[in-house]
Amino acid sequence: MTETVTYELIDGIAVLTIAHPPVNATSQKVREALKDAVLRLNDDADALGGILTGDGSIFVGGADIREFGKTPMPPALPEIINLIEDSAKPIVAAINGVALGGGCELTLGAHARIGTPGARIGLPEVTLGLIPGAGGTQRLPRLIEIGTALDLITSGRQLTAAEALDCGLFDQIAEPADLLASASALARELAAAPQTIRRLSYLPAPQADASVFEKARAACRARYKGQINQLAAVDAVEAATRLDREAGMAEERRLFLSLMSTPQRAALIHAFFAERKAAHVPDIKDIAVEPIEEVGIIGGGTMGAGIATAAAMAGYRVTLVEREEEFAARARATIEKNLARALERKTLKPADHAAILGERLKTCVGYENLSTADVIIEAVFENMDVKQEVFRALDGIAKKGATLATNTSYLDVNAIAAVTSRPEDVIGLHFFSPAHVMRLLEVVVADKTSGTQVARAFALARRMKKTAVRAGVCDGFIGNRILAHYRLAADYMMMDGASPYDIDAALTDFGFAMGPFQVADLAGIDIGYATRQRRAPARHPDERYVGFADALYHKGWLGQKTGRGFYIYDAEAPKGRPDPEVSAMLDGARKAEGIAPRTFTAEEIQDRYMAAMINEGARVLEDGIAQRPSDIDVVFLAGYGFPRWRGGPMQYADEIGLDTVLNRIRTYAAEDAHYWSPARLLEKLVAEGKTFKDLNEASA
Ligand code: 3HC
Ligand code: NAI
């Protein structure tokens, strides 16, 4: 037997411990070792029964995702789970931490399940474009109520130990120190009364009529628009109710394997690894970080209050400084509202809520209050003079080595750093709105930012549960720079004949959470206007300017906040309905520019929008603003509502072929050679027959 599963006989019970860091995934070596261990248990005359547990803080993190897409290597996981289930001697799963996917399925093969209070269990395969493929869809509905099973399998939701006990997935909960003793006692009980051993897959098929599954399918179509695997998950559970044991298992396996070769599976697994790889920043990997305890924030508007909420919820002491008492009080009220909502949603414990309001949060006036802060995040108006003034003041007040961060969306972090005597401590921390909800954090590394400060920023992000991506300095960093570019493609299509409503519909059909004109209304037509004004002096003379939204701005149609922008928002249509006046204004604007409107199919709208996004993404890479293509994908998945099941723009580019993207760009260039000039990197990759994936793999 190999060391990936240890076998220890303690008082007549064999303890089988899976020890395969980092997450005890059921890799080929583990499967083989498990097989040996279960066979040994059954041959071991001194063993009455067995316990299956995990080494360290995790039970089993699932099948080894890195093996997916490669030639399967025996023994297969379903075979191992059947072996466990068929074991003549009882086996109890002692769930010492998370049991996910194949890990959960292993416990379902066991004859009883005991978890620690901190254990979590679930079948997250749907989040990877799959369904459970080792009997989970067949065994779970035989153990717990079928509606709950369907919900868990189609949502990928994880249960806490208490919830698992409540629905019957766990038989008992035991404190970590007692886990093995409790499991051992249960194994003995089962050994003494073998007729009470439940082998789940042999239990009678659960009953449910067709309407249960039709309802589940309708819910999945609405909730996971565009995704195919949730529907396959429903099919698999339905199979458990219609087919016998062998046929049900075979049907699950067939569905699982058919999903394995889909672009959605590839995209979702790409997203999983891309998010983890984003945290790999080669120049900081050996830097140790001193603990961060106090976070200072300057400015308590939209962003400052959100960042303060997130920092306080992460357990930091937070001091927020505003210009005047009145604004400080307003910021506190916003934070309190955010915290109350978190309490209601149970994402914040009552004790933590009380501690934040009691002593951990201070809102006040005066920079001197920030002299003890480890990290100071500036979130004042987006104006270079104002920001430089703040950083000059901070330079005189902040303690030595404190991180001096700006939340600027577009401004030059080097120019902000330059007004301090310590540019090595200045960094961009670009949070997204609402900052206590959105996962993305761009860590903007300026020319002189030290590695220590970058490492501190990533540590802060981890604790705040943010997905941090390293970015370089340029106008808009990674996300907003690419956005500013592809957003123009939408404006050009609108001026050339597509209605903003058709463009939004085509892009939400593609899978975006919102279309660009819906986003413009949500963010505020005034915000877009201010950005265009700011950029005007630097605008390239060949750039085609679309000033249509300026007309909305001058009419005071500022979007959702005024009830009118590209859309009308009223009681009849709180989420917005097309505005015939806007359409008429557009007709007028096209006429005034001598444009003969043409039609755009939904497919062409999607192709152009994506080509623009990918082209600018390639330029961002060329300029060294992003470390690797997958980091761009992470930015768009975590911050811009890009459909996760498409993996991000760069993964999508690989999926449709970089030559296809380049050919499209070259075709569009006939209309506007400036806008559609192909990125050199894209041309190079196509010439060399390479992909963005090759660049991801080459990056450390
Ligand atoms: N297979 C291979 N590698 C995995 C993995 C898996 N199932 N789960 C995590 N890893 C890797 C990560 O990529 C990371 O590698 P890195 O250090 O090189 O970046 C490392 O393990 C640590 O992962 P995390 O940083 O995510 O560690 P955490 O402690 O934060 O979280 C976890 C642990 C909760 C287990 C989390 O990793 C996770 O959610 N993993 C995926 C769980 C999952 O989706 N399982 C289902 C797999 S599909 C399946 O089981 C099919 C079956 O039905 C047949
Ligand atoms: P906001 O206008 O809502 O808030 C700014 C706050 O800063 C105001 O409350 C103001 O009183 C305060 N303030 C101004 N000068 C100050 C000073 N000298 N000392 C203390 N407080 C001061 O602005 P918002 O939207 O919160 O933006 C802040 C920063 O975050 C900007 O740089 C913006 O570009 C950036 N940002 C904004 C996003 C958004 O969606 N709103 C998203 C990401 C970044």
Short mmCIF file of all heavy atoms in Angstrom, two decimals, residues 77-98:
data_model
loop_
_atom_site.label_atom_id
_atom_site.label_comp_id
_atom_site.label_asym_id
_atom_site.label_seq_id
_atom_site.Cartn_x
_atom_site.Cartn_y
_atom_site.Cartn_z
N LEU A 77 -13.23 6.22 -9.69
CA LEU A 77 -13.81 6.51 -8.37
C LEU A 77 -15.12 5.73 -8.10
O LEU A 77 -15.30 5.21 -6.99
CB LEU A 77 -14.01 8.03 -8.22
CG LEU A 77 -14.40 8.50 -6.83
CD1 LEU A 77 -13.37 8.11 -5.77
CD2 LEU A 77 -14.60 10.02 -6.81
N PRO A 78 -16.03 5.63 -9.08
CA PRO A 78 -17.26 4.87 -8.79
C PRO A 78 -16.94 3.44 -8.34
O PRO A 78 -17.62 2.90 -7.46
CB PRO A 78 -17.99 4.87 -10.14
CG PRO A 78 -17.45 6.04 -10.89
CD PRO A 78 -16.04 6.22 -10.43
N GLU A 79 -15.90 2.86 -8.94
CA GLU A 79 -15.52 1.49 -8.57
C GLU A 79 -15.10 1.43 -7.09
O GLU A 79 -15.49 0.53 -6.35
CB GLU A 79 -14.36 1.08 -9.49
CG GLU A 79 -13.91 -0.34 -9.34
CD GLU A 79 -12.56 -0.58 -10.06
OE1 GLU A 79 -12.33 0.02 -11.14
OE2 GLU A 79 -11.74 -1.33 -9.53
N ILE A 80 -14.34 2.44 -6.66
CA ILE A 80 -13.86 2.47 -5.27
C ILE A 80 -15.04 2.66 -4.31
O ILE A 80 -15.13 2.02 -3.26
CB ILE A 80 -12.86 3.63 -5.07
CG1 ILE A 80 -11.70 3.51 -6.05
CG2 ILE A 80 -12.37 3.73 -3.63
CD1 ILE A 80 -10.96 2.19 -5.96
N ILE A 81 -15.95 3.52 -4.71
CA ILE A 81 -17.10 3.79 -3.83
C ILE A 81 -18.00 2.56 -3.74
O ILE A 81 -18.50 2.21 -2.66
CB ILE A 81 -17.84 5.07 -4.29
CG1 ILE A 81 -16.88 6.26 -4.13
CG2 ILE A 81 -19.14 5.28 -3.50
CD1 ILE A 81 -17.40 7.58 -4.64
N ASN A 82 -18.16 1.87 -4.85
CA ASN A 82 -18.93 0.62 -4.80
C ASN A 82 -18.25 -0.39 -3.88
O ASN A 82 -18.92 -1.10 -3.13
CB ASN A 82 -19.06 0.02 -6.21
CG ASN A 82 -20.06 0.80 -7.05
OD1 ASN A 82 -20.90 1.53 -6.52
ND2 ASN A 82 -19.96 0.65 -8.36
N LEU A 83 -16.93 -0.42 -3.96
CA LEU A 83 -16.17 -1.36 -3.12
C LEU A 83 -16.40 -1.04 -1.63
O LEU A 83 -16.60 -1.95 -0.82
CB LEU A 83 -14.69 -1.21 -3.47
CG LEU A 83 -13.74 -2.29 -2.99
CD1 LEU A 83 -14.00 -3.59 -3.74
CD2 LEU A 83 -12.29 -1.85 -3.23
N ILE A 84 -16.40 0.23 -1.31
CA ILE A 84 -16.64 0.65 0.08
C ILE A 84 -18.06 0.24 0.49
O ILE A 84 -18.29 -0.36 1.54
CB ILE A 84 -16.45 2.18 0.23
CG1 ILE A 84 -14.97 2.54 0.04
CG2 ILE A 84 -17.00 2.70 1.56
CD1 ILE A 84 -14.68 4.04 -0.03
N GLU A 85 -19.01 0.55 -0.40
CA GLU A 85 -20.41 0.25 -0.08
C GLU A 85 -20.63 -1.25 0.10
O GLU A 85 -21.35 -1.70 0.99
CB GLU A 85 -21.30 0.78 -1.21
CG GLU A 85 -22.79 0.62 -0.92
CD GLU A 85 -23.63 1.33 -1.97
OE1 GLU A 85 -23.49 1.01 -3.16
OE2 GLU A 85 -24.43 2.20 -1.60
N ASP A 86 -19.96 -2.03 -0.78
CA ASP A 86 -20.16 -3.48 -0.75
C ASP A 86 -19.33 -4.17 0.33
O ASP A 86 -19.43 -5.39 0.51
CB ASP A 86 -19.79 -4.09 -2.11
CG ASP A 86 -20.79 -3.69 -3.19
OD1 ASP A 86 -21.90 -3.25 -2.82
OD2 ASP A 86 -20.46 -3.77 -4.39
N SER A 87 -18.49 -3.39 1.03
CA SER A 87 -17.63 -4.00 2.05
C SER A 87 -18.49 -4.78 3.06
O SER A 87 -19.50 -4.29 3.55
CB SER A 87 -16.85 -2.89 2.79
OG SER A 87 -16.35 -3.37 4.01
N ALA A 88 -18.06 -5.99 3.34
CA ALA A 88 -18.82 -6.81 4.29
C ALA A 88 -18.71 -6.21 5.69
O ALA A 88 -19.63 -6.32 6.50
CB ALA A 88 -18.28 -8.23 4.27
N LYS A 89 -17.56 -5.56 5.95
CA LYS A 89 -17.38 -4.93 7.27
C LYS A 89 -17.81 -3.47 7.18
O LYS A 89 -17.52 -2.81 6.18
CB LYS A 89 -15.91 -5.04 7.69
CG LYS A 89 -15.50 -6.50 7.88
CD LYS A 89 -14.10 -6.60 8.38
CE LYS A 89 -13.71 -8.09 8.43
NZ LYS A 89 -12.30 -8.26 8.77
N PRO A 90 -18.48 -2.99 8.19
CA PRO A 90 -18.99 -1.62 8.11
C PRO A 90 -17.88 -0.58 8.04
O PRO A 90 -16.84 -0.75 8.67
CB PRO A 90 -19.79 -1.46 9.41
CG PRO A 90 -19.24 -2.50 10.33
CD PRO A 90 -18.79 -3.64 9.47
N ILE A 91 -18.14 0.47 7.28
CA ILE A 91 -17.19 1.57 7.18
C ILE A 91 -17.93 2.87 7.50
O ILE A 91 -18.98 3.17 6.91
CB ILE A 91 -16.56 1.64 5.77
CG1 ILE A 91 -15.80 0.34 5.46
CG2 ILE A 91 -15.65 2.86 5.63
CD1 ILE A 91 -15.17 0.26 4.09
N VAL A 92 -17.39 3.62 8.44
CA VAL A 92 -18.01 4.88 8.85
C VAL A 92 -17.14 6.03 8.34
O VAL A 92 -15.92 6.00 8.53
CB VAL A 92 -18.14 4.94 10.39
CG1 VAL A 92 -18.66 6.31 10.84
CG2 VAL A 92 -19.06 3.83 10.89
N ALA A 93 -17.78 7.01 7.71
CA ALA A 93 -17.02 8.19 7.27
C ALA A 93 -16.91 9.15 8.44
O ALA A 93 -17.92 9.56 9.01
CB ALA A 93 -17.71 8.86 6.09
N ALA A 94 -15.67 9.48 8.84
CA ALA A 94 -15.44 10.45 9.91
C ALA A 94 -14.98 11.73 9.22
O ALA A 94 -13.83 11.84 8.80
CB ALA A 94 -14.38 9.92 10.87
N ILE A 95 -15.92 12.66 9.09
CA ILE A 95 -15.70 13.81 8.20
C ILE A 95 -15.10 14.96 9.01
O ILE A 95 -15.79 15.68 9.74
CB ILE A 95 -17.05 14.19 7.52
CG1 ILE A 95 -17.59 12.93 6.81
CG2 ILE A 95 -16.86 15.34 6.55
CD1 ILE A 95 -19.06 12.96 6.54
N ASN A 96 -13.80 15.11 8.85
CA ASN A 96 -13.03 16.03 9.70
C ASN A 96 -12.94 17.44 9.13
O ASN A 96 -12.36 18.31 9.77
CB ASN A 96 -11.61 15.46 9.85
CG ASN A 96 -10.97 15.19 8.50
OD1 ASN A 96 -11.52 14.41 7.71
ND2 ASN A 96 -9.85 15.80 8.22
N GLY A 97 -13.49 17.67 7.94
CA GLY A 97 -13.42 19.00 7.32
C GLY A 97 -14.32 18.99 6.10
O GLY A 97 -15.31 18.25 6.09
N VAL A 98 -13.96 19.75 5.05
CA VAL A 98 -14.86 19.74 3.89
C VAL A 98 -14.83 18.39 3.18
O VAL A 98 -13.78 17.75 3.05
CB VAL A 98 -14.56 20.87 2.86
CG1 VAL A 98 -14.91 22.22 3.38
CG2 VAL A 98 -13.14 20.81 2.35
#
